[in-house]
């Protein structure tokens, strides 16, 4: 078996996170301006203290599959 250091594991995790699209570029993302729940996903109709993609991952265990790039 090949030994992998903790640092290598963390670097791989960071690369995976950076490879995923940001909510800021998503058509469904919006800022609510509510102090307690500043972020929202219009598609899934929820507000959150964290970015919607993190809430989806935390609750479903899967990455958000509904990302649609905003038209500029």
């Amino acid at each position: 078996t090949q030994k992998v250091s903790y640092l290598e594991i963390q670097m791989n995790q960071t690369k995976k996170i950076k490879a995923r699209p940001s909510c800021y570029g998503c058509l469904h993302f919006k800022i609510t301006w509510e102090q307690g729940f500043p972020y929202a996903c219009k598609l899934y109709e929820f507000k959150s203290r964290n970015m919607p993609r993190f809430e989806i991952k935390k609750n479903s265990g899967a990455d958000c599959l509904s990302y649609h790039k905003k038209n500029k």
Side-chain angles (χ1 to χ4, degrees):
T1 62
Q2 182 182 9
K3 292 185 179 180
V4 180
S5 73
Y6 177 76
L7 182 58
E8 288 176 304
I9 293 170
Q10 289 297 345
M11 287 173 52
N12 286 337
Q13 293 286 359
T14 302
K15 286 179 186 175
K16 287 179 185 176
I17 290 170
K18 287 182 180 178
R20 295 182 195 131
S22 169
C23 290
Y24 286 112
C26 181
L27 179 67
H28 308 297
F29 176 72
K30 74 175 188 176
I31 302 289
T32 67
W33 302 107
E34 291 180 32
Q35 189 173 7
F37 301 96
Y39 309 113
C41 177
K42 295 184 276 186
L43 181 70
Y44 292 117
E45 299 179 345
F46 73 90
K47 298 176 187 175
S48 173
R49 293 176 190 228
N50 302 311
M51 285 297 202
R53 73 180 182 128
F54 297 131
E55 291 296 323
I56 291 168
K57 177 73 170 182
K58 183 174 80 174
N59 290 304
S60 71
D63 293 326
C64 179
L65 301 175
S66 299
Y67 175 85
H68 288 99
K69 188 175 180 179
K70 289 181 183 178
N71 296 328
K72 289 189 175 186

